[in-house]
PDB file of all heavy atoms in Angstrom:
ATOM      1  N   ALA A  79       2.418   2.518  18.638  1.00 97.00           N
ATOM      2  CA  ALA A  79       2.482   2.092  20.034  1.00 97.00           C
ATOM      3  C   ALA A  79       2.985   3.238  20.903  1.00 97.00           C
ATOM      4  O   ALA A  79       3.552   4.220  20.404  1.00 97.00           O
ATOM      5  CB  ALA A  79       3.402   0.885  20.168  1.00 97.00           C
ATOM      6  N   LEU A  80       2.769   3.123  22.202  1.00 96.00           N
ATOM      7  CA  LEU A  80       3.255   4.121  23.163  1.00 96.00           C
ATOM      8  C   LEU A  80       4.382   3.477  23.963  1.00 96.00           C
ATOM      9  O   LEU A  80       4.154   2.784  24.951  1.00 96.00           O
ATOM     10  CB  LEU A  80       2.119   4.566  24.083  1.00 96.00           C
ATOM     11  CG  LEU A  80       0.881   5.150  23.390  1.00 96.00           C
ATOM     12  CD1 LEU A  80      -0.157   5.564  24.425  1.00 96.00           C
ATOM     13  CD2 LEU A  80       1.253   6.329  22.502  1.00 96.00           C
ATOM     14  N   LEU A  81       5.610   3.706  23.502  1.00 94.00           N
ATOM     15  CA  LEU A  81       6.779   3.041  24.083  1.00 94.00           C
ATOM     16  C   LEU A  81       7.781   4.080  24.559  1.00 94.00           C
ATOM     17  O   LEU A  81       8.391   4.796  23.754  1.00 94.00           O
ATOM     18  CB  LEU A  81       7.447   2.135  23.038  1.00 94.00           C
ATOM     19  CG  LEU A  81       6.622   0.943  22.551  1.00 94.00           C
ATOM     20  CD1 LEU A  81       7.267   0.322  21.322  1.00 94.00           C
ATOM     21  CD2 LEU A  81       6.497  -0.092  23.665  1.00 94.00           C
ATOM     22  N   PRO A  82       7.966   4.197  25.873  1.00 87.00           N
ATOM     23  CA  PRO A  82       8.986   5.118  26.376  1.00 87.00           C
ATOM     24  C   PRO A  82      10.377   4.635  25.997  1.00 87.00           C
ATOM     25  O   PRO A  82      10.597   3.454  25.727  1.00 87.00           O
ATOM     26  CB  PRO A  82       8.774   5.075  27.900  1.00 87.00           C
ATOM     27  CG  PRO A  82       8.146   3.744  28.143  1.00 87.00           C
ATOM     28  CD  PRO A  82       7.289   3.451  26.944  1.00 87.00           C
ATOM     29  N   GLU A  83      11.313   5.552  25.972  1.00 87.00           N
ATOM     30  CA  GLU A  83      12.686   5.220  25.594  1.00 87.00           C
ATOM     31  C   GLU A  83      13.332   4.317  26.643  1.00 87.00           C
ATOM     32  O   GLU A  83      13.411   4.670  27.810  1.00 87.00           O
ATOM     33  CB  GLU A  83      13.513   6.490  25.426  1.00 87.00           C
ATOM     34  CG  GLU A  83      13.120   7.343  24.221  1.00 87.00           C
ATOM     35  CD  GLU A  83      13.431   6.648  22.905  1.00 87.00           C
ATOM     36  OE1 GLU A  83      14.407   5.876  22.863  1.00 87.00           O
ATOM     37  OE2 GLU A  83      12.691   6.866  21.930  1.00 87.00           O
ATOM     38  N   VAL A  84      13.761   3.144  26.200  1.00 88.00           N
ATOM     39  CA  VAL A  84      14.459   2.201  27.066  1.00 88.00           C
ATOM     40  C   VAL A  84      15.525   1.500  26.230  1.00 88.00           C
ATOM     41  O   VAL A  84      15.247   1.086  25.094  1.00 88.00           O
ATOM     42  CB  VAL A  84      13.496   1.132  27.654  1.00 88.00           C
ATOM     43  CG1 VAL A  84      14.274   0.129  28.506  1.00 88.00           C
ATOM     44  CG2 VAL A  84      12.409   1.778  28.485  1.00 88.00           C
ATOM     45  N   GLU A  85      16.741   1.390  26.745  1.00 86.00           N
ATOM     46  CA  GLU A  85      17.776   0.627  26.058  1.00 86.00           C
ATOM     47  C   GLU A  85      17.531  -0.856  26.307  1.00 86.00           C
ATOM     48  O   GLU A  85      17.542  -1.307  27.452  1.00 86.00           O
ATOM     49  CB  GLU A  85      19.162   1.038  26.559  1.00 86.00           C
ATOM     50  CG  GLU A  85      19.559   2.453  26.175  1.00 86.00           C
ATOM     51  CD  GLU A  85      20.998   2.768  26.554  1.00 86.00           C
ATOM     52  OE1 GLU A  85      21.744   1.811  26.861  1.00 86.00           O
ATOM     53  OE2 GLU A  85      21.353   3.952  26.546  1.00 86.00           O
ATOM     54  N   VAL A  86      17.282  -1.591  25.226  1.00 83.00           N
ATOM     55  CA  VAL A  86      16.931  -2.999  25.356  1.00 83.00           C
ATOM     56  C   VAL A  86      17.817  -3.838  24.452  1.00 83.00           C
ATOM     57  O   VAL A  86      18.335  -3.360  23.436  1.00 83.00           O
ATOM     58  CB  VAL A  86      15.448  -3.242  24.992  1.00 83.00           C
ATOM     59  CG1 VAL A  86      14.532  -2.588  26.015  1.00 83.00           C
ATOM     60  CG2 VAL A  86      15.129  -2.712  23.601  1.00 83.00           C
ATOM     61  N   ASP A  87      18.009  -5.094  24.847  1.00 83.00           N
ATOM     62  CA  ASP A  87      18.839  -6.007  24.057  1.00 83.00           C
ATOM     63  C   ASP A  87      18.122  -6.454  22.787  1.00 83.00           C
ATOM     64  O   ASP A  87      18.748  -6.650  21.746  1.00 83.00           O
ATOM     65  CB  ASP A  87      19.227  -7.231  24.893  1.00 83.00           C
ATOM     66  CG  ASP A  87      20.133  -6.873  26.062  1.00 83.00           C
ATOM     67  OD1 ASP A  87      20.853  -5.860  25.956  1.00 83.00           O
ATOM     68  OD2 ASP A  87      20.120  -7.598  27.077  1.00 83.00           O
ATOM     69  N   ILE A  88      16.805  -6.680  22.886  1.00 87.00           N
ATOM     70  CA  ILE A  88      16.009  -7.108  21.733  1.00 87.00           C
ATOM     71  C   ILE A  88      15.239  -5.904  21.197  1.00 87.00           C
ATOM     72  O   ILE A  88      14.439  -5.311  21.924  1.00 87.00           O
ATOM     73  CB  ILE A  88      15.030  -8.228  22.122  1.00 87.00           C
ATOM     74  CG1 ILE A  88      15.796  -9.447  22.636  1.00 87.00           C
ATOM     75  CG2 ILE A  88      14.151  -8.617  20.941  1.00 87.00           C
ATOM     76  CD1 ILE A  88      14.906 -10.578  23.109  1.00 87.00           C
ATOM     77  N   PRO A  89      15.469  -5.488  19.953  1.00 91.00           N
ATOM     78  CA  PRO A  89      14.759  -4.321  19.407  1.00 91.00           C
ATOM     79  C   PRO A  89      13.247  -4.518  19.448  1.00 91.00           C
ATOM     80  O   PRO A  89      12.741  -5.637  19.302  1.00 91.00           O
ATOM     81  CB  PRO A  89      15.269  -4.245  17.965  1.00 91.00           C
ATOM     82  CG  PRO A  89      16.564  -4.990  17.960  1.00 91.00           C
ATOM     83  CD  PRO A  89      16.417  -6.077  18.986  1.00 91.00           C
ATOM     84  N   ASP A  90      12.521  -3.424  19.642  1.00 94.00           N
ATOM     85  CA  ASP A  90      11.062  -3.493  19.687  1.00 94.00           C
ATOM     86  C   ASP A  90      10.473  -3.998  18.374  1.00 94.00           C
ATOM     87  O   ASP A  90       9.350  -4.500  18.346  1.00 94.00           O
ATOM     88  CB  ASP A  90      10.480  -2.113  19.993  1.00 94.00           C
ATOM     89  CG  ASP A  90      10.831  -1.638  21.389  1.00 94.00           C
ATOM     90  OD1 ASP A  90      10.878  -2.478  22.292  1.00 94.00           O
ATOM     91  OD2 ASP A  90      11.053  -0.426  21.561  1.00 94.00           O
ATOM     92  N   THR A  91      11.233  -3.877  17.274  1.00 96.00           N
ATOM     93  CA  THR A  91      10.735  -4.272  15.960  1.00 96.00           C
ATOM     94  C   THR A  91      11.320  -5.601  15.483  1.00 96.00           C
ATOM     95  O   THR A  91      11.181  -5.932  14.296  1.00 96.00           O
ATOM     96  CB  THR A  91      11.056  -3.180  14.927  1.00 96.00           C
ATOM     97  OG1 THR A  91      12.478  -2.986  14.878  1.00 96.00           O
ATOM     98  CG2 THR A  91      10.382  -1.863  15.284  1.00 96.00           C
ATOM     99  N   ALA A  92      11.944  -6.368  16.369  1.00 96.00           N
ATOM    100  CA  ALA A  92      12.610  -7.601  15.943  1.00 96.00           C
ATOM    101  C   ALA A  92      11.649  -8.537  15.212  1.00 96.00           C
ATOM    102  O   ALA A  92      11.953  -9.049  14.122  1.00 96.00           O
ATOM    103  CB  ALA A  92      13.231  -8.310  17.143  1.00 96.00           C
ATOM    104  N   ALA A  93      10.478  -8.785  15.791  1.00 97.00           N
ATOM    105  CA  ALA A  93       9.514  -9.678  15.152  1.00 97.00           C
ATOM    106  C   ALA A  93       8.864  -9.018  13.941  1.00 97.00           C
ATOM    107  O   ALA A  93       8.566  -9.687  12.946  1.00 97.00           O
ATOM    108  CB  ALA A  93       8.449 -10.115  16.154  1.00 97.00           C
ATOM    109  N   LEU A  94       8.651  -7.707  14.005  1.00 97.00           N
ATOM    110  CA  LEU A  94       8.071  -6.989  12.867  1.00 97.00           C
ATOM    111  C   LEU A  94       8.961  -7.092  11.635  1.00 97.00           C
ATOM    112  O   LEU A  94       8.467  -7.102  10.497  1.00 97.00           O
ATOM    113  CB  LEU A  94       7.871  -5.518  13.223  1.00 97.00           C
ATOM    114  CG  LEU A  94       6.672  -5.148  14.101  1.00 97.00           C
ATOM    115  CD1 LEU A  94       6.804  -3.712  14.592  1.00 97.00           C
ATOM    116  CD2 LEU A  94       5.365  -5.335  13.351  1.00 97.00           C
ATOM    117  N   ASP A  95      10.269  -7.160  11.854  1.00 97.00           N
ATOM    118  CA  ASP A  95      11.227  -7.202  10.748  1.00 97.00           C
ATOM    119  C   ASP A  95      11.493  -8.618  10.245  1.00 97.00           C
ATOM    120  O   ASP A  95      12.258  -8.799   9.288  1.00 97.00           O
ATOM    121  CB  ASP A  95      12.547  -6.566  11.187  1.00 97.00           C
ATOM    122  CG  ASP A  95      12.412  -5.087  11.494  1.00 97.00           C
ATOM    123  OD1 ASP A  95      11.493  -4.447  10.943  1.00 97.00           O
ATOM    124  OD2 ASP A  95      13.205  -4.563  12.307  1.00 97.00           O
ATOM    125  N   ASP A  96      10.855  -9.605  10.875  1.00 97.00           N
ATOM    126  CA  ASP A  96      11.048 -11.006  10.503  1.00 97.00           C
ATOM    127  C   ASP A  96       9.899 -11.426   9.588  1.00 97.00           C
ATOM    128  O   ASP A  96       8.775 -11.643  10.038  1.00 97.00           O
ATOM    129  CB  ASP A  96      11.093 -11.869  11.767  1.00 97.00           C
ATOM    130  CG  ASP A  96      11.388 -13.335  11.479  1.00 97.00           C
ATOM    131  OD1 ASP A  96      11.090 -13.799  10.364  1.00 97.00           O
ATOM    132  OD2 ASP A  96      11.898 -14.023  12.383  1.00 97.00           O
ATOM    133  N   PHE A  97      10.178 -11.546   8.290  1.00 97.00           N
ATOM    134  CA  PHE A  97       9.126 -11.857   7.319  1.00 97.00           C
ATOM    135  C   PHE A  97       8.416 -13.159   7.653  1.00 97.00           C
ATOM    136  O   PHE A  97       7.182 -13.248   7.584  1.00 97.00           O
ATOM    137  CB  PHE A  97       9.710 -11.934   5.904  1.00 97.00           C
ATOM    138  CG  PHE A  97       8.705 -12.323   4.859  1.00 97.00           C
ATOM    139  CD1 PHE A  97       7.861 -11.375   4.309  1.00 97.00           C
ATOM    140  CD2 PHE A  97       8.583 -13.646   4.442  1.00 97.00           C
ATOM    141  CE1 PHE A  97       6.911 -11.729   3.343  1.00 97.00           C
ATOM    142  CE2 PHE A  97       7.643 -14.009   3.489  1.00 97.00           C
ATOM    143  CZ  PHE A  97       6.811 -13.045   2.944  1.00 97.00           C
ATOM    144  N   ASP A  98       9.172 -14.182   8.030  1.00 97.00           N
ATOM    145  CA  ASP A  98       8.569 -15.482   8.321  1.00 97.00           C
ATOM    146  C   ASP A  98       7.641 -15.403   9.530  1.00 97.00           C
ATOM    147  O   ASP A  98       6.566 -16.020   9.536  1.00 97.00           O
ATOM    148  CB  ASP A  98       9.658 -16.528   8.564  1.00 97.00           C
ATOM    149  CG  ASP A  98      10.418 -16.883   7.295  1.00 97.00           C
ATOM    150  OD1 ASP A  98       9.863 -16.671   6.198  1.00 97.00           O
ATOM    151  OD2 ASP A  98      11.565 -17.351   7.401  1.00 97.00           O
ATOM    152  N   GLU A  99       8.051 -14.659  10.556  1.00 98.00           N
ATOM    153  CA  GLU A  99       7.208 -14.514  11.742  1.00 98.00           C
ATOM    154  C   GLU A  99       5.932 -13.755  11.400  1.00 98.00           C
ATOM    155  O   GLU A  99       4.831 -14.131  11.831  1.00 98.00           O
ATOM    156  CB  GLU A  99       7.972 -13.794  12.853  1.00 98.00           C
ATOM    157  CG  GLU A  99       7.183 -13.558  14.129  1.00 98.00           C
ATOM    158  CD  GLU A  99       6.744 -14.839  14.830  1.00 98.00           C
ATOM    159  OE1 GLU A  99       7.225 -15.940  14.479  1.00 98.00           O
ATOM    160  OE2 GLU A  99       5.907 -14.747  15.747  1.00 98.00           O
ATOM    161  N   MET A 100       6.058 -12.704  10.613  1.00 98.00           N
ATOM    162  CA  MET A 100       4.872 -11.953  10.195  1.00 98.00           C
ATOM    163  C   MET A 100       3.931 -12.834   9.382  1.00 98.00           C
ATOM    164  O   MET A 100       2.705 -12.751   9.523  1.00 98.00           O
ATOM    165  CB  MET A 100       5.302 -10.730   9.391  1.00 98.00           C
ATOM    166  CG  MET A 100       6.028  -9.675  10.210  1.00 98.00           C
ATOM    167  SD  MET A 100       4.913  -8.746  11.307  1.00 98.00           S
ATOM    168  CE  MET A 100       4.202  -7.585  10.141  1.00 98.00           C
ATOM    169  N   LEU A 101       4.487 -13.705   8.559  1.00 98.00           N
ATOM    170  CA  LEU A 101       3.657 -14.598   7.766  1.00 98.00           C
ATOM    171  C   LEU A 101       2.915 -15.587   8.658  1.00 98.00           C
ATOM    172  O   LEU A 101       1.727 -15.869   8.458  1.00 98.00           O
ATOM    173  CB  LEU A 101       4.517 -15.343   6.745  1.00 98.00           C
ATOM    174  CG  LEU A 101       3.779 -16.296   5.795  1.00 98.00           C
ATOM    175  CD1 LEU A 101       2.739 -15.535   4.973  1.00 98.00           C
ATOM    176  CD2 LEU A 101       4.774 -17.013   4.879  1.00 98.00           C
ATOM    177  N   ARG A 102       3.619 -16.101   9.670  1.00 98.00           N
ATOM    178  CA  ARG A 102       2.962 -17.038  10.594  1.00 98.00           C
ATOM    179  C   ARG A 102       1.814 -16.359  11.334  1.00 98.00           C
ATOM    180  O   ARG A 102       0.746 -16.959  11.537  1.00 98.00           O
ATOM    181  CB  ARG A 102       3.994 -17.597  11.575  1.00 98.00           C
ATOM    182  CG  ARG A 102       4.947 -18.615  10.966  1.00 98.00           C
ATOM    183  CD  ARG A 102       5.809 -19.269  12.027  1.00 98.00           C
ATOM    184  NE  ARG A 102       6.824 -18.365  12.553  1.00 98.00           N
ATOM    185  CZ  ARG A 102       8.069 -18.272  12.075  1.00 98.00           C
ATOM    186  NH1 ARG A 102       8.443 -19.015  11.042  1.00 98.00           N
ATOM    187  NH2 ARG A 102       8.941 -17.444  12.612  1.00 98.00           N
ATOM    188  N   ILE A 103       2.025 -15.134  11.757  1.00 98.00           N
ATOM    189  CA  ILE A 103       0.962 -14.391  12.436  1.00 98.00           C
ATOM    190  C   ILE A 103      -0.213 -14.173  11.491  1.00 98.00           C
ATOM    191  O   ILE A 103      -1.381 -14.381  11.862  1.00 98.00           O
ATOM    192  CB  ILE A 103       1.500 -13.045  12.967  1.00 98.00           C
ATOM    193  CG1 ILE A 103       2.519 -13.289  14.083  1.00 98.00           C
ATOM    194  CG2 ILE A 103       0.350 -12.168  13.474  1.00 98.00           C
ATOM    195  CD1 ILE A 103       3.229 -12.026  14.541  1.00 98.00           C
ATOM    196  N   ALA A 104       0.079 -13.778  10.266  1.00 98.00           N
ATOM    197  CA  ALA A 104      -0.986 -13.529   9.288  1.00 98.00           C
ATOM    198  C   ALA A 104      -1.799 -14.790   9.025  1.00 98.00           C
ATOM    199  O   ALA A 104      -3.037 -14.739   8.902  1.00 98.00           O
ATOM    200  CB  ALA A 104      -0.380 -13.010   7.995  1.00 98.00           C
ATOM    201  N   MET A 105      -1.131 -15.941   8.954  1.00 98.00           N
ATOM    202  CA  MET A 105      -1.836 -17.188   8.658  1.00 98.00           C
ATOM    203  C   MET A 105      -2.728 -17.647   9.812  1.00 98.00           C
ATOM    204  O   MET A 105      -3.618 -18.471   9.618  1.00 98.00           O
ATOM    205  CB  MET A 105      -0.814 -18.281   8.311  1.00 98.00           C
ATOM    206  CG  MET A 105      -0.099 -18.044   6.987  1.00 98.00           C
ATOM    207  SD  MET A 105       1.171 -19.295   6.647  1.00 98.00           S
ATOM    208  CE  MET A 105       0.152 -20.769   6.482  1.00 98.00           C
ATOM    209  N   SER A 106      -2.499 -17.113  11.005  1.00 98.00           N
ATOM    210  CA  SER A 106      -3.300 -17.518  12.166  1.00 98.00           C
ATOM    211  C   SER A 106      -4.612 -16.746  12.278  1.00 98.00           C
ATOM    212  O   SER A 106      -5.495 -17.133  13.051  1.00 98.00           O
ATOM    213  CB  SER A 106      -2.501 -17.309  13.454  1.00 98.00           C
ATOM    214  OG  SER A 106      -2.408 -15.930  13.795  1.00 98.00           O
ATOM    215  N   VAL A 107      -4.758 -15.653  11.549  1.00 98.00           N
ATOM    216  CA  VAL A 107      -5.892 -14.734  11.727  1.00 98.00           C
ATOM    217  C   VAL A 107      -7.215 -15.434  11.472  1.00 98.00           C
ATOM    218  O   VAL A 107      -7.400 -16.106  10.453  1.00 98.00           O
ATOM    219  CB  VAL A 107      -5.744 -13.511  10.811  1.00 98.00           C
ATOM    220  CG1 VAL A 107      -6.997 -12.638  10.873  1.00 98.00           C
ATOM    221  CG2 VAL A 107      -4.522 -12.690  11.222  1.00 98.00           C
ATOM    222  N   GLU A 108      -8.143 -15.252  12.407  1.00 96.00           N
ATOM    223  CA  GLU A 108      -9.487 -15.830  12.301  1.00 96.00           C
ATOM    224  C   GLU A 108     -10.490 -14.907  11.611  1.00 96.00           C
ATOM    225  O   GLU A 108     -11.469 -15.364  11.023  1.00 96.00           O
ATOM    226  CB  GLU A 108     -10.036 -16.139  13.695  1.00 96.00           C
ATOM    227  CG  GLU A 108      -9.310 -17.206  14.465  1.00 96.00           C
ATOM    228  CD  GLU A 108      -9.980 -17.411  15.807  1.00 96.00           C
ATOM    229  OE1 GLU A 108     -10.051 -16.442  16.596  1.00 96.00           O
ATOM    230  OE2 GLU A 108     -10.454 -18.524  16.052  1.00 96.00           O
ATOM    231  N   LEU A 109     -10.287 -13.603  11.729  1.00 96.00           N
ATOM    232  CA  LEU A 109     -11.293 -12.645  11.284  1.00 96.00           C
ATOM    233  C   LEU A 109     -11.298 -12.476   9.776  1.00 96.00           C
ATOM    234  O   LEU A 109     -10.243 -12.374   9.148  1.00 96.00           O
ATOM    235  CB  LEU A 109     -11.031 -11.280  11.936  1.00 96.00           C
ATOM    236  CG  LEU A 109     -11.119 -11.209  13.461  1.00 96.00           C
ATOM    237  CD1 LEU A 109     -10.796  -9.803  13.923  1.00 96.00           C
ATOM    238  CD2 LEU A 109     -12.501 -11.622  13.936  1.00 96.00           C
ATOM    239  N   GLU A 110     -12.501 -12.396   9.214  1.00 96.00           N
ATOM    240  CA  GLU A 110     -12.672 -12.044   7.813  1.00 96.00           C
ATOM    241  C   GLU A 110     -12.834 -10.527   7.707  1.00 96.00           C
ATOM    242  O   GLU A 110     -13.392  -9.888   8.603  1.00 96.00           O
ATOM    243  CB  GLU A 110     -13.907 -12.741   7.233  1.00 96.00           C
ATOM    244  CG  GLU A 110     -13.815 -14.262   7.190  1.00 96.00           C
ATOM    245  CD  GLU A 110     -12.784 -14.749   6.198  1.00 96.00           C
ATOM    246  OE1 GLU A 110     -12.506 -14.006   5.213  1.00 96.00           O
ATOM    247  OE2 GLU A 110     -12.244 -15.860   6.404  1.00 96.00           O
ATOM    248  N   PRO A 111     -12.353  -9.937   6.612  1.00 97.00           N
ATOM    249  CA  PRO A 111     -12.518  -8.487   6.449  1.00 97.00           C
ATOM    250  C   PRO A 111     -13.994  -8.083   6.482  1.00 97.00           C
ATOM    251  O   PRO A 111     -14.866  -8.820   6.013  1.00 97.00           O
ATOM    252  CB  PRO A 111     -11.900  -8.215   5.078  1.00 97.00           C
ATOM    253  CG  PRO A 111     -10.963  -9.349   4.845  1.00 97.00           C
ATOM    254  CD  PRO A 111     -11.595 -10.540   5.507  1.00 97.00           C
ATOM    255  N   LEU A 112     -14.243  -6.926   7.045  1.00 98.00           N
ATOM    256  CA  LEU A 112     -15.616  -6.421   7.163  1.00 98.00           C
ATOM    257  C   LEU A 112     -15.590  -4.918   6.899  1.00 98.00           C
ATOM    258  O   LEU A 112     -14.793  -4.188   7.513  1.00 98.00           O
ATOM    259  CB  LEU A 112     -16.168  -6.706   8.559  1.00 98.00           C
ATOM    260  CG  LEU A 112     -17.560  -6.172   8.886  1.00 98.00           C
ATOM    261  CD1 LEU A 112     -18.608  -6.890   8.045  1.00 98.00           C
ATOM    262  CD2 LEU A 112     -17.874  -6.343  10.370  1.00 98.00           C
TER     263      LEU A 112
END
């Protein structure tokens, strides 16, 4: 990603580091590999 430096309360990777959230996103995917 292209993210300029900003001090933020919620880390940019908060959801990326959440296994359960990543699993929920993965289970929603409509596309089949091609």
Side-chain angles (χ1 to χ4, degrees):
L80 303 181
L81 295 168
E83 291 293 329
V84 178
E85 292 186 14
V86 293
D87 294 333
I88 299 177
D90 294 324
T91 59
L94 282 168
D95 295 335
D96 184 334
F97 177 83
D98 290 338
E99 179 63 12
M100 292 286 280
L101 182 60
R102 286 188 288 267
I103 293 173
M105 291 177 65
S106 74
V107 173
E108 294 181 300
L109 297 178
E110 295 292 334
L112 176 67

